[in-house]
Amino acid sequence: MSSPCDPCLPGGEHTPDQPLPVKAMAPLTAPARHNLPRPGTSFVGREPDLSDLLRLLGSSRSVTIRGADGIGKTRLALRVAEQSTVSFPDGVWFADLTDVRTRLEVYARVAEAVGVVEEAGQPLATTVTEALRDRRLLLLLDSCEHVAEEVTEVGDALLAACPTVSLLLTSEQAVRLSGGTVWMVPPMSQPVVARNAPPPDPATTEPVRLFLDRARARDPRFDASPEELEAVSSLCDLAGGMPLGIEMLGAEAPESGVETLLQGLRTYLSSPELRPGPGQAVSRSQVLPLVLDYVYRNLPEAERVLLRRLSVFRGWDLELAEQVCADEGLPESTILDLITSLLNRSLATVTGEFEGRVRYRLPEAVRRFAEERLAEAGESELFQDRLLERMLALVEDLGQKLESSRSMPWSERDSGRRRVIAEYDTLRSLLRWSHLRGAAEPGLRLCVSLSAHWVSHHNHSEGAHWMDRLLALEETAKAPSRARALVGRAQLARVRRDHELARSLGEEGLRLCRETGDDAFVRTALNLLALVEVRERNAEEASVLVEEALRLCRESGDLWGEAIALGTRAALVAHQGDYPTSDHHYNAALTLLRGIDHRWGVGVILIGQARAAEGGGDLMTADRCYREALDTQRMIGATAEEARCLAGIGRVAHAQGSPSQAYDYLSEGLLLSHQSGQRAEAARILAAIARAAFEDDLREPACRLAGAAVALRERMGLPTQGAPWPFLDMEPVRRRRRHLVAWWEQGYRLGQAEAVVEAEQLVAEARRPPERRRRDAARASTVTAPPANAETGKRSRSGGRNGSGRRRAPAASFSPEVTSPQESLTKRELEIARLVSTGKSNPEIARDLFITPSTAARHVANINRKMGFHSRTQITAWVERHRTG
């Protein structure tokens, strides 16, 4: 499908069971940054294991938690991560690698977890590595056993390039990273009793506590007599101390009774077919499947049927389960009660809520067991196909709504996009399943409809990965969707800046679509190819393509395609310097898109119009368009585009003579670009701040930032200019020009994170009144200068590092004792500091200021850094002191 992404530019719950002797989080600090899934049940036991792992993580940058399936690796790792948030100021991030099979997919899951956005024209691995290079964070990579080799490669690369990143892995087999530690998860076992010592109370042992907790979760009235506690202890031993097995048995106890459950499990395990051979014993990895099989055999038939059918999902809601799993033998009206029963039995879990719908998931060990039972029942292909049919309907509905010319509320048009996000793990599993069985046509249909998602969410590499694998299948040559898939793959090549590949694939797709009479994708392909030629500055070819696209769209009443073509025509004439005509075409495109309430398209067209207006000197139009686009990008969560809008508003404010506003927006855009891994945009913003600061007579830091911006572009392989760009002609006096070059070269040696810190300090300095800056500079000139570098004769600049080469922690930029909030904070930071002082949380601040909670958190962290604070309480006290002073 045609996408408007960049088409028109002229250029957890934390409730410890008992206190532990580990680090405690400081009270009243800003909320910890993490994406840890919230457990649906309480954490029981494992206190010594938790303490050991926390100590290991404090001394080793990589720890692998190894153990058999169902032994509680993930739950223990999540608990360790929850307890570690205070040690990692840049967050604790969870990435599920259950369905991952390639190195690229590992990087894609890491990027998704930490909020890094793929950059056009840059390898995803490079973008992720550079984004994490200076962050102090913990990555929790779960279920690495399927990709141990790939995780080792990625993990070692991150540890080598990112000195303050730590890794916590879970795996059934050892994943040995350089200098890392592998920690075996022990089973939950009864304590060893000393000779002649009285036996411990069974109710105090870890496995029995877990059993009782899950039994009471199902029935709060459940209680066990001393005799029954002995039986519970025996059940835990029969389960091999495996937490998942204990949980399932505990959930069965209120219904079956402890003694009956024990007798039944013993009888089952002693059956002849389950006895090991002579001299053999049942291994721990075999225990859980046996317990699962026992529980499964004792389920009512309808629950067994539903459980095995649910194994095709990676997550679901009630409606989806009803659509895929119900049939004549399993009526749709029974599904809810059956799911509830599976939840009560600890065979399924609640993972959260999406748009008012409860989301469910099977524990992976249960899902694999149920998948095997589905295969034994001969139903695997049937229910995979039913799921595939439903998912195809979902993603094709997304494509149709996004391209529909029918006027509809944006919430209705956007619902498909949000639903695809919720079901994306299941969609990934279906892409893999289609590839493994050589099913080219359904796989390509999925890819074609997911193209819009991959483009708009910057999953370009992952989309290209799946399309290339499916296009390479033997069946693809005869697949009806091949032509559309070539156009979709060309779309991904275009946004990745591989214009040669985009042109060749797009032209082949266009030819095939013309032959088959696929008029909709003929228009899509023409728009795509026109965009490629605009980017390549081939005005004549672009004009021919866009005019044909425009004519066909108008003839067919395709308002969406017409708006894209108008945006492309506007970009083309803007490249040729005809800005008034460009603005006319952009306005025509916006009229069409607003008429059908297509806010995504409106947002992207507005960015193109803003850039063209900025280039043509129409600053009022540029400012209006950037601001309106900013609201749209925040609404849909497009981080990269949000940063571009912030930077655009800042550049325009500078050009309009509003330096304070310019610094505010440029600073926020820089932080967002830096945190999301957008290095090219970060370089542009560094250069914009440098230009503004140079005009404010802050020449040294301006030159340093300019040098850092050029170095960043050079590392990306982008075109650059020499020192002291962009101030080449600013200083005619040779001696002073040499100063500019020296400062510029110092900045050239800065890393990106160091440059961002300097930019924030420069912004804070630039906001101070000029007379105060001159007075402080005069005072500083009376202080003895630091010793000159013996080799260069210049003052030593270590780029933020001490003599040992280690990076120094950034010091506070201002003294809170003598500096008021009005003097030291940006306008936005001042607003947020005042709201913090009223006791509001980050989500409440975000609602008041119409920003995201993550943006509010970034501002709070920046205030803490500037002032040397460590808590919201200190911010509150500071604001109150200066309010009354």
Side-chain angles (χ1 to χ4, degrees):
M1 67 168 287
S2 178
S3 164
C5 186
D6 194 24
C8 310
L9 302 187
E13 188 174 8
H14 183 140
T15 311
D17 299 298
Q18 65 183 66
L20 297 175
V22 296
K23 299 176 183 177
M25 183 177 293
L28 299 176
T29 58
R33 299 181 62 205
H34 67 81
N35 69 334
L36 302 177
R38 175 176 292 184
T41 54
S42 58
F43 185 86
V44 178
R46 298 290 196 193
E47 288 86 357
D49 303 333
L50 182 60
S51 296
D52 290 346
L53 281 166
L54 286 166
R55 282 193 290 270
L56 274 178
L57 199 58
S59 60
S60 175
R61 288 181 55 213
S62 73
V63 176
T64 299
I65 299 178
R66 181 187 176 192
D69 201 10
I71 204 165
K73 301 182 298 295
T74 300
R75 192 62 192 279
L76 181 58
L78 286 171
R79 190 64 164 187
V80 171
E82 288 173 358
Q83 296 279 340
S84 301
T85 52
V86 69
S87 302
F88 297 96
D90 291 315
V92 175
W93 308 103
F94 174 86
D96 184 1
L97 305 186
T98 301
D99 284 324
V100 166
R101 295 296 181 273
T102 65
R103 173 177 173 272
L104 172 65
E105 290 175 281
V106 175
Y107 274 114
R109 300 298 174 96
V110 171
E112 185 179 347
V114 300
V116 169
V117 178
E118 184 173 351
E119 278 196 289
Q122 298 293 319
L124 180 58
T126 302
T127 300
V128 171
T129 302
E130 290 300 321
L132 302 187
R133 186 176 295 278
D134 294 281
R135 297 195 200 179
R136 183 171 177 77
L137 57 76
L138 174 66
L139 274 176
L140 198 175
L141 304 182
D142 188 41
S143 300
C144 299
E145 56 271 3
H146 310 292
V147 276
E149 184 177 335
E150 290 79 4
V151 168
T152 300
E153 182 183 350
V154 173
D156 280 340
L158 290 175
L159 291 173
C162 311
T164 51
V165 166
S166 295
L167 299 178
L168 180 61
L169 284 59
T170 71
S171 178
E172 292 180 32
Q173 66 184 68
V175 179
R176 300 187 182 277
L177 302 183
S178 301
T181 302
V182 177
W183 194 86
M184 288 291 297
V185 183
M188 284 185 159
S189 58
Q190 310 292 348
V192 177
V193 182
R195 182 179 297 180
N196 300 325
D201 179 2
T204 64
T205 64
E206 275 190 351
V208 174
R209 284 166 52 203
L210 178 62
F211 184 102
L212 295 175
D213 182 88
R214 299 307 185 253
R216 289 165 184 156
R218 182 169 184 182
D219 184 355
R221 298 168 299 177
F222 178 84
D223 201 7
S225 66
E227 294 76 17
E228 288 175 324
L229 286 175
E230 293 296 334
V232 168
S233 184
S234 298
L235 279 167
C236 295
D237 287 340
L238 287 176
M242 302 292 282
L244 182 56
I246 294 171
E247 288 183 295
M248 290 186 294
L249 293 172
E252 285 295 309
E255 180 179 303
S256 304
V258 174
E259 295 292 349
T260 303
L261 189 61
L262 176 60
Q263 183 180 354
L265 183 58
R266 277 178 171 163
T267 301
Y268 170 74
L269 294 176
S270 62
S271 58
E273 64 268 21
L274 297 181
R275 290 177 184 170
Q280 296 179 339
V282 176
S283 69
R284 197 167 303 282
S285 63
Q286 295 172 311
V287 170
L288 182 62
L290 293 176
V291 174
L292 265 169
D293 192 53
Y294 170 74
V295 172
Y296 176 77
R297 288 169 184 246
N298 285 279
L299 292 176
E301 175 62 19
E303 289 184 35
R304 287 202 299 270
V305 171
L306 180 60
L307 179 66
R308 60 180 183 246
R309 292 178 181 179
L310 290 173
S311 68
V312 299
F313 294 107
R314 296 307 184 269
W316 75 89
D317 58 28
L318 175 60
E319 180 186 14
L320 198 54
E322 290 172 343
Q323 292 168 340
V324 173
C325 299
D327 59 13
E328 293 180 0
L330 194 69
E332 188 176 302
S333 60
T334 66
I335 299 296
L336 176 58
D337 289 340
L338 294 174
I339 290 176
T340 302
S341 181
L342 293 176
L343 285 170
N344 290 337
R345 299 178 191 277
S346 292
L347 291 169
T349 60
V350 172
T351 60
E353 189 176 292
F354 181 79
E355 294 190 340
R357 299 174 179 177
V358 177
R359 300 284 303 176
Y360 307 93
R361 192 180 183 103
L362 296 181
E364 186 57 22
V366 175
R367 195 198 67 78
R368 286 203 291 261
F369 172 87
E371 190 175 48
E372 292 172 1
R373 303 292 83 76
L374 189 68
E376 290 173 0
E379 296 180 330
S380 288
E381 288 209 7
L382 171 63
F383 284 93
Q384 284 284 1
D385 284 340
R386 290 186 68 171
L387 176 62
L388 179 60
E389 180 182 353
R390 177 58 198 147
M391 290 292 106
L392 278 169
L394 188 152
V395 296
E396 288 175 348
D397 177 66
L398 163 68
Q400 290 165 6
K401 283 182 175 177
L402 283 177
E403 293 189 328
S404 173
S405 298
R406 179 173 64 88
S407 179
M408 65 180 77
W410 170 248
S411 58
E412 178 184 346
R413 199 184 296 275
D414 192 45
S415 62
R417 181 186 69 89
R418 297 193 303 270
R419 187 67 187 274
V420 165
I421 294 171
E423 306 298 349
Y424 194 45
D425 284 346
T426 294
L427 288 165
R428 280 166 160 159
S429 73
L430 289 172
L431 286 167
R432 176 168 285 106
W433 187 73
S434 298
H435 177 256
L436 289 176
R437 73 169 187 163
E441 175 58 17
L444 290 176
R445 282 178 63 192
L446 276 176
C447 285
V448 169
S449 295
L450 282 171
S451 294
H453 172 84
W454 286 328
V455 170
S456 64
H457 288 267
H458 297 267
N459 298 131
H460 315 147
S461 294
E462 187 176 7
H465 164 78
W466 286 116
M467 278 198 162
D468 288 344
R469 293 182 117 192
L470 289 160
L471 284 167
L473 292 174
E474 282 188 26
E475 283 189 11
T476 297
K478 299 178 290 184
S481 295
R482 178 171 177 263
R484 290 187 168 197
L486 288 170
V487 176
R489 180 63 181 88
Q491 191 76 279
L492 291 169
R494 181 190 68 80
V495 295
R496 296 176 79 192
R497 302 290 191 264
D498 189 347
H499 294 152
E500 183 177 349
L501 180 61
R503 185 184 289 119
S504 64
L505 292 174
E507 288 174 349
E508 175 68 4
L510 175 61
R511 181 183 66 78
L512 293 174
C513 288
R514 288 191 196 274
E515 290 177 359
T516 58
D518 188 347
D519 294 338
F521 266 72
V522 166
R523 299 191 297 270
T524 297
L526 287 168
N527 268 325
L528 158 71
L529 291 168
L531 288 168
V532 171
E533 299 304 338
V534 169
R535 277 285 185 180
E536 290 288 286
R537 300 293 200 273
N538 296 325
E540 187 174 342
E541 293 87 341
S543 180
V544 171
L545 290 163
V546 77
E547 293 308 318
E548 183 182 0
L550 196 55
R551 176 178 59 80
L552 293 177
C553 288
R554 285 171 172 166
E555 289 174 356
S556 63
D558 180 0
L559 300 181
W560 164 257
E562 182 181 351
I564 297 301
L566 285 168
T568 307
R569 181 196 267 178
L572 176 61
V573 297
H575 276 305
Q576 297 168 333
D578 187 354
Y579 294 109
T581 302
S582 171
D583 190 62
H584 170 76
H585 294 322
Y586 277 129
N587 283 329
L590 288 171
T591 298
L592 293 176
L593 292 170
R594 285 183 172 129
I596 58 175
D597 197 17
H598 202 305
R599 299 184 193 177
W600 180 34
V602 166
V604 179
I605 293 289
L606 281 167
I607 293 178
Q609 186 177 22
R611 292 291 296 271
E614 186 182 359
D618 185 354
L619 300 180
M620 290 184 64
T621 297
D623 183 68
R624 172 180 56 79
C625 293
Y626 277 131
R627 289 179 185 275
E628 186 180 349
L630 177 62
D631 293 338
T632 301
Q633 306 309 329
R634 282 177 168 163
M635 176 190 67
I636 65 177
T639 306
E641 285 73 22
E642 180 184 346
R644 288 166 61 192
C645 291
L646 288 166
I649 296 171
R651 289 193 305 269
V652 171
H654 171 237
Q656 290 176 321
S658 301
S660 179
Q661 188 178 109
Y663 287 127
D664 283 350
Y665 282 98
L666 289 171
S667 175
E668 187 173 352
L670 177 61
L671 286 174
L672 194 57
S673 297
H674 177 55
Q675 290 168 355
S676 60
Q678 301 301 290
R679 291 178 294 158
E681 187 62 33
R684 280 191 287 269
I685 299 174
L686 285 170
I689 294 174
R691 288 187 177 96
F694 198 92
E695 290 186 13
D696 279 346
D697 205 29
L698 294 166
R699 290 190 161 201
E700 179 179 356
C703 288
R704 286 170 62 84
L705 287 191
V710 169
L712 186 53
R713 288 181 59 84
E714 191 172 282
R715 288 194 291 271
M716 296 180 66
L718 299 175
T720 60
Q721 297 190 49
W725 178 91
F727 312 123
L728 296 170
D729 302 319
M730 295 292 187
E731 183 53 72
V733 179
R734 182 177 299 179
R735 179 177 59 81
R736 293 177 181 172
R737 182 183 172 87
R738 283 200 300 266
H739 285 306
L740 302 187
V741 172
W743 294 329
W744 191 96
E745 290 175 345
Q746 290 168 2
Y748 182 84
R749 293 190 288 271
L750 293 175
Q752 182 178 342
E754 294 169 316
V756 170
V757 170
E758 286 209 9
E760 287 301 292
Q761 293 170 344
L762 171 56
V763 166
E765 176 68 12
R767 286 184 54 82
R768 301 173 68 207
E771 60 276 8
R772 184 185 292 269
R773 295 205 306 263
R774 286 192 292 269
R775 186 170 63 248
D776 289 348
R779 186 183 303 127
S781 67
T782 65
V783 180
T784 303
N789 182 292
E791 182 179 344
T792 65
K794 298 176 182 177
R795 294 181 183 178
S796 173
R797 288 191 178 273
S798 58
R801 299 176 185 270
N802 58 25
S804 65
R806 296 183 180 274
R807 192 180 311 281
R808 295 191 300 263
S813 303
F814 301 95
S815 168
E817 299 301 325
V818 299
T819 310
S820 70
Q822 292 84 349
E823 292 175 310
S824 51
L825 302 183
T826 66
K827 181 179 179 182
R828 177 66 82 185
E829 289 167 353
L830 182 59
E831 290 177 317
I832 287 174
R834 286 171 173 164
L835 290 171
V836 167
S837 72
T838 66
K840 292 197 173 184
S841 66
N842 287 342
E844 291 171 328
I845 293 172
R847 284 193 294 271
D848 285 356
L849 299 181
F850 301 99
I851 60 177
T852 63
S854 60
T855 299
R858 285 195 298 271
H859 281 302
V860 172
N862 199 38
I863 294 167
N864 281 331
R865 180 191 60 76
K866 279 185 178 181
M867 307 311 302
F869 293 154
H870 302 286
S871 72
R872 300 169 85 91
T873 304
Q874 290 174 295
I875 295 175
T876 300
W878 178 51
V879 171
E880 290 298 328
R881 181 168 65 250
H882 286 282
R883 181 179 291 158
T884 58

